[in-house]
Amino acid sequence: MDLTYTPEEEEFRARLRQWLGKALPTLPAKPSPDDWPGRRAYDLGWQRMLDDAGYAGVHWDASPTTRLIFLEETERAGAPYVGANFVGLLHAGPTIAAEGTAEQRARWLPPILRGEEVWCQGFSEPDAGSDLAALRTRACRDGDDYVVSGSKIWTSHAEVADWCELLVRTDPSAPKHRGITWLAMPMDAPGVTVRPLRTLAGSAEFAEVFLDEVRVPVANRVGEENDGWRVTMVTLSFERGTAFVGEVVACRRVLGELARTARENGRWDDPVVRRRLGRLNAEFRALWRLTQWNVSEAEANRGVPGVGGSVFKLRYSHARQELYDTAAGVLGPDCLDLDRPWTLDRLSSLSYTIAAGTSQIQRTIVAERILGLPKGR
Amino acid sequence: MRFQLTDDQRALRDGVRQLLARRFDGAALRAAVAAAGPGGAVLDRALWRELGAAGFFALRLPEEAGGVGLGLPEAALVFEEAGRALLPGPLIATHLAAGVVPGAATGEVVVAAVDGGLVEWWAQADVVRGEPAEGTGLDGGVREGGVRERGAPDGGAPERGVREGGAPEGFVSEGFVSEGVVPVRSVDPLTPLHRVSGASGRSSGSASPGPAPNPVAVLLTAAEQLGTAARVCELAVQHARTREQFGQPIGAFQAVKHLCADMLVRTEVARPAVYAAAVTAGPADIAAARLLADEAALRNTRDCLQVHGGMGFTWESEVHLHLKRAWVRAQRGGGVTESEEALAAELVD
């Protein structure tokens, strides 16, 4: 058990830190959360800066430990995270890299890395959330095209996306996992309608996407017809391990700010508040150690993430909510003020036990796949 | 960074697990409980010497001093196994006495320690190490130097003998009042307890924090708690797979499944916290390990009992033994409050 980094890893860290010191002051001002075109331009611009400096592919090519260092250092320096590049860098891109043809990789991967195209994810449907494989958006073959009709929901960045990684049903008579196909759909195709959806935090972070006889070329299919479920699982397992590295670093920083705020406003004198903060310190320290543990495990398995992802997500999503509930305790009545820091964070933390597999689904995964308990309801 | 067990560490863990499976299996555990009379459990001296021969106590002593020459991470792995197996005896106190109290390293001498006003295995220990008494002005010497020993002062083999209640014969009582030592009817049938009045201001509920707990003892206790958390998760899963109700294994029901999943999550979050604390030996890491491991052990033993239902509420089931030992360990090393306060203070340092 070794927590020290190799000289090469330390050198990578030092070089990155130096570059961040020079690059971050040249970033334009952060756009307002409602300015979608501005956010797109900002996030793509950051990705181009990373590409120029040779860091664009860190999510794809680098070792898990290098990725950990990259995410840790960029967060510490206050650099942007992937933003609108999220699906391209962490879902669609890795899927195309793993399952796409040479032509498909050449068409779609460079624009993702260069910060030129934005992807969104068309997986969930109004009637297919946790039970994703129940999705019903239909795709019928017509010559060299699929004709797609249906609707997708909770699609982040749909308003500004160029492409959508889309799951469609190509064989309604097959068992539900075996009739699904993965398509790359251009968002400007006729028949695509995007309707922004407001989250409970008030902002339009995601959208509904309606598809009315949208023609998608068969050449845009990644993997075989009806093999889309397996292709998708490649995507879903990709980011486990380092998925929340930056967020854990950020949560630890927030925790420190919270403690200092409590000292300033007097809440620190309440032992209940102090003990909650102390417990959260233990919690996020443990989550950081679990991250290092999972990354080391992925390193040992040549980059294949272990089963630790569900364990991590279950605990982290709860800890994040606890952090911002504690922040509310420190703020007192100010926690109702949307202009105070942490109020919006508290609201958005509520999605963590729901998005990307609810805590209930994660527990079932842990129980059945790790503990080997029998399948059932 | 390679934060995984090395091959040697894996081999050490497996070796200890095999040794304990051979020398202290479920049948031995039940026999030990059955043998524990009203006076409490009896320490198996032959097993103690075997543990000594296996390097259990001399693990961290340098090889020049006759030890194994390993570090805290290895000790954490060994004590995790001890926790899993519910191995009885003042294991940590004797481990910490290796190299300080003659005979401790080899398992010839059993060493107990005062912690938070309580002593585990007082009556059967050859040596009891104390804490400073409040208001006496004496340095009781929790660490080295404050050893109170009964038996031959010339360094020969200490005399062994158990007296009912009170202090063992020959016990030197500087620093705390041996007349104030009273037996406690211990909740854990395999951990006899004595209360030592005046030995410590750190009994639970006390306003005075008293002497700081030995951080290595806190860490190794966390390792034992981790072992318990992992073991009772396995017991619950085994039971949930085989026990049938409503025509199916109860583990097929989500309500039961999710209890088991939460047990695994607590264990696997506590594990890297404990291991990292063993690597860094930093005070904040140790405090975090303690909080996470206590939580995992206390809540997992509860959930294990819940999964076992009425069967778990019987004396014959071993579930209660894990639960009670977890309660005993949670009292060591100062209160949970102190660990939380220390970690809160660390945020604004």
Side-chain angles (χ1 to χ4, degrees):
Chain A
M1 288 187 274
D2 187 0
L3 285 165
T4 57
Y5 293 90
T6 65
E8 295 76 40
E9 288 161 352
E10 287 296 3
E11 198 200 309
F12 174 82
R13 188 192 294 276
R15 240 185 320 120
L16 174 60
R17 211 176 265 185
Q18 200 181 21
W19 177 75
L20 286 167
K22 276 190 243 145
L24 291 181
T26 69
L27 266 179
K30 217 176 163 95
S32 99
D34 303 324
D35 176 11
W36 270 104
R39 282 175 66 175
R40 175 190 155 106
Y42 181 84
D43 294 339
L44 287 175
W46 169 240
Q47 181 63 24
R48 280 196 296 277
M49 282 169 70
L50 286 174
D51 190 36
D52 290 342
Y55 293 113
V58 77
H59 298 288
W60 297 1
D61 311 313
S63 73
T65 309
T66 307
R67 211 154 64 226
L68 174 90
I69 295 169
F70 177 83
L71 294 165
E72 186 186 0
E73 288 299 325
T74 46
E75 175 57 42
R76 284 234 166 97
Y81 186 45
V82 288
N85 304 303
F86 180 82
V87 174
L89 285 173
L90 297 177
H91 286 271
T95 303
I96 294 163
E99 300 287 328
T101 63
E103 293 77 27
Q104 290 172 334
R105 292 200 298 271
R107 165 63 189 87
W108 286 312
L109 298 186
I112 293 174
L113 288 180
R114 282 205 307 270
E116 290 169 351
E117 287 182 346
V118 168
W119 285 68
C120 63
Q121 188 181 70
F123 285 8
S124 298
E125 297 180 6
D127 291 328
S130 290
D131 186 9
L132 178 60
L135 60 92
R136 292 198 304 225
T137 291
R138 259 311 256 131
C140 302
R141 189 80 178 255
D142 180 26
D144 289 336
D145 291 335
Y146 287 104
V147 180
V148 183
S149 292
S151 65
K152 296 289 175 178
I153 197 167
W154 307 306
T155 308
S156 300
H157 311 293
E159 298 93 320
V160 294
D162 304 289
W163 295 93
C164 177
E165 54 164 343
L166 190 70
L167 289 184
V168 294
R169 184 151 308 277
T170 35
D171 183 354
S173 61
K176 64 179 179 179
H177 293 93
R178 302 221 185 102
I180 295 171
T181 299
W182 195 106
L183 299 176
M185 178 182 74
M187 288 298 283
D188 59 0
V192 177
T193 309
V194 175
R195 189 175 78 87
L197 210 50
R198 265 181 112 189
T199 73
L200 58 70
S203 56
E205 287 297 317
F206 46 33
E208 282 181 282
V209 179
F210 300 97
L211 307 171
D212 182 17
E213 299 195 348
V214 180
R215 298 192 81 86
V216 179
V218 173
N220 287 16
R221 185 186 73 212
V222 170
E224 294 302 310
E225 189 169 287
N226 299 326
D227 196 28
W229 186 257
R230 188 191 59 76
V231 171
T232 304
M233 287 304 116
V234 173
T235 316
L236 289 184
S237 65
F238 176 75
E239 59 159 348
R240 302 280 150 82
T242 52
F244 299 102
V245 168
E247 294 198 17
V248 172
V249 173
C251 283
R252 293 186 70 182
R253 189 186 60 233
V254 168
L255 190 55
E257 290 165 7
L258 211 51
R260 285 187 289 279
T261 303
R263 276 261 278 251
E264 282 156 26
N265 73 9
R267 298 307 306 269
W268 185 259
D269 296 337
D270 180 349
V272 176
V273 169
R274 283 200 310 274
R275 290 180 61 184
R276 259 181 107 172
L277 290 168
R279 209 160 249 288
L280 280 168
N281 190 1
E283 185 72 23
F284 282 104
R285 280 170 171 276
L287 286 167
W288 179 248
R289 297 309 189 187
L290 180 59
T291 301
Q292 292 180 312
W293 183 262
N294 287 344
V295 164
S296 297
E297 188 182 32
E299 198 84 68
N301 301 338
R302 289 202 208 95
V304 179
V307 286
S310 288
V311 168
F312 183 93
K313 184 177 183 290
L314 269 168
R315 187 78 176 211
Y316 169 64
S317 50
H318 183 261
R320 187 179 176 96
Q321 293 175 352
E322 181 64 24
L323 172 69
Y324 287 108
D325 284 346
T326 303
V330 169
L331 289 175
D334 283 347
C335 79
L336 303 178
D337 180 351
L338 284 169
D339 289 327
R340 295 291 298 210
W342 304 327
T343 306
L344 279 173
D345 293 319
R346 186 185 187 200
L347 289 171
S348 61
S349 78
L350 299 173
S351 75
Y352 277 71
T353 47
I354 300 169
T358 64
S359 290
Q360 285 64 40
I361 290 289
Q362 299 289 353
R363 285 192 185 95
T364 300
I365 290 173
V366 166
E368 292 179 0
R369 298 201 198 145
I370 305 180
L371 296 176
L373 287 169
K375 285 190 184 286
R377 318 230 145 241
Chain B
M1 183 187 67
R2 207 196 146 86
F3 188 37
Q4 292 275 300
L5 301 197
T6 63
D7 290 343
D8 285 349
Q9 287 167 340
R10 241 178 265 278
L12 173 71
R13 182 197 62 190
D14 295 349
V16 174
R17 191 172 295 186
Q18 282 159 16
L19 168 75
L20 295 181
R22 203 170 57 241
R23 270 309 261 110
F24 196 72
D25 61 1
L29 176 67
R30 268 179 273 278
V33 174
V42 182
L43 194 70
D44 182 346
R45 291 269 178 174
L47 173 58
W48 205 257
R49 279 189 293 272
E50 249 182 89
L51 293 173
F56 215 94
F57 306 120
L59 196 73
R60 291 185 305 123
L61 275 189
E63 288 180 65
E64 310 86 84
V68 188
L70 293 173
L72 261 187
E74 287 77 18
L77 293 173
V78 167
F79 279 85
E80 181 186 342
E81 292 305 313
R84 277 180 70 90
L86 271 177
L87 193 60
L91 295 157
I92 294 175
T94 303
H95 175 88
L96 290 175
V100 180
V101 176
T106 56
E108 288 301 313
V109 171
V110 176
V111 181
V114 184
D115 181 344
L118 286 173
V119 193
E120 300 174 20
W121 298 91
W122 166 281
Q124 298 190 51
D126 304 309
V127 171
V128 179
R129 303 175 81 194
E131 292 176 321
E134 258 189 309
T136 63
L138 287 170
D139 175 13
V142 191
R143 320 275 189 275
E144 281 60 56
V147 176
R148 282 140 192 100
E149 200 168 335
R150 67 188 158 113
D154 57 2
E159 149 199 349
R160 274 176 218 113
V162 177
R163 283 159 58 101
E164 293 296 316
E169 194 177 4
F171 184 89
V172 186
S173 66
E174 63 178 90
F176 60 93
V177 189
S178 62
E179 297 82 58
V181 176
V182 271
V184 173
R185 232 157 62 77
S186 174
V187 68
D188 176 9
L190 290 181
T191 309
L193 290 173
H194 281 69
R195 194 178 286 123
V196 185
S197 62
S200 169
R202 229 185 49 238
S203 56
S204 52
S206 164
S208 159
N214 181 331
V216 175
V218 174
L219 173 68
L220 296 181
T221 295
E224 289 184 331
Q225 295 286 57
L226 171 64
T228 287
R231 179 68 188 135
V232 297
C233 179
E234 290 170 14
L235 290 176
V237 169
Q238 278 165 20
H239 185 74
R241 279 153 110 165
T242 47
R243 166 76 173 165
E244 292 197 8
Q245 288 289 277
F246 302 101
Q248 59 177 340
I250 59 169
F253 295 105
Q254 278 196 345
V256 175
K257 231 176 236 182
H258 289 191
L259 275 180
C260 295
D262 283 340
M263 292 169 78
L264 185 82
V265 170
R266 284 185 211 113
T267 308
E268 298 309 319
V269 175
R271 183 184 303 285
V274 171
Y275 291 173
V279 172
T280 69
D285 277 333
I286 290 177
R290 183 261 164 94
L291 288 179
L292 273 285
D294 268 357
E295 184 214 12
L298 294 173
R299 295 199 54 193
N300 281 13
T301 49
R302 283 283 180 102
D303 285 353
C304 181
L305 172 57
Q306 190 66 27
V307 169
H308 279 76
M311 291 176 177
F313 197 67
T314 64
W315 189 264
E316 290 86 77
S317 157
E318 71 174 80
V319 176
H320 72 106
L321 300 174
H322 293 282
L323 183 143
K324 291 167 179 173
R325 189 72 60 86
W327 285 5
V328 168
R329 295 192 201 112
Q331 290 303 319
R332 296 184 196 153
V336 162
T337 315
E338 287 164 46
S339 300
E340 288 169 342
E341 288 280 10
L343 282 165
E346 196 263 346
L347 289 172
V348 289
D349 274 350

